Amino acid sequence: MVERISLPRRCSASRTRALISITHRLGYLTDTQERILRLIREHIATHGEAPTITQIGAAAGLRSRASVHYQLGELETKHAIVREPGQRRGIRLA
């Protein structure tokens, strides 16, 4: 279902695209994914590197590493993060 937004009558094309993009980005992540993304963003800002899988799981309330891997895969599919295979703490914000 596509959510309709009302725009001012005189709205430039670039502003319209930006508003639609913002509306789309706010609605496409689950609560868990938003929590994980916020955690990653805060950890990178505070420590200068991404958190480990274990740290993400503990902070997000996920019991297994598989759950964390699944959520990270979903975030990568949705272009919210980029993972670097084989790299320790290989998570970057997109």
Side-chain angles (χ1 to χ4, degrees):
M1 182 168 155
V2 176
E3 184 178 324
R4 300 193 108 184
I5 58 172
S6 59
L7 300 172
R9 283 191 100 96
R10 296 180 195 166
C11 192
S12 70
S14 62
R15 178 150 169 76
T16 302
R17 281 192 300 275
L19 287 171
I20 291 170
S21 174
I22 289 169
T23 302
H24 178 69
R25 288 194 75 173
L26 293 177
Y28 80 116
L29 296 178
T30 65
D31 292 339
T32 302
Q33 292 166 357
E34 286 181 9
R35 243 186 355 257
I36 291 172
L37 192 58
R38 190 177 320 112
L39 167 74
I40 293 169
R41 189 176 296 125
E42 289 171 0
H43 198 278
I44 290 173
T46 306
H47 302 292
E49 61 184 2
T52 64
I53 300 297
T54 306
Q55 289 171 329
I56 293 171
L62 300 174
R63 294 181 184 204
S64 73
R65 291 170 43 107
S67 297
V68 176
H69 280 288
Y70 173 79
Q71 294 299 337
L72 291 176
E74 290 294 305
L75 286 170
E76 190 173 24
T77 300
K78 295 176 180 181
H79 303 289
I81 63 169
V82 176
R83 292 196 295 179
E84 299 170 7
Q87 291 281 29
R88 187 173 161 268
R89 299 177 185 253
I91 302 170
R92 291 185 294 121
L93 298 174

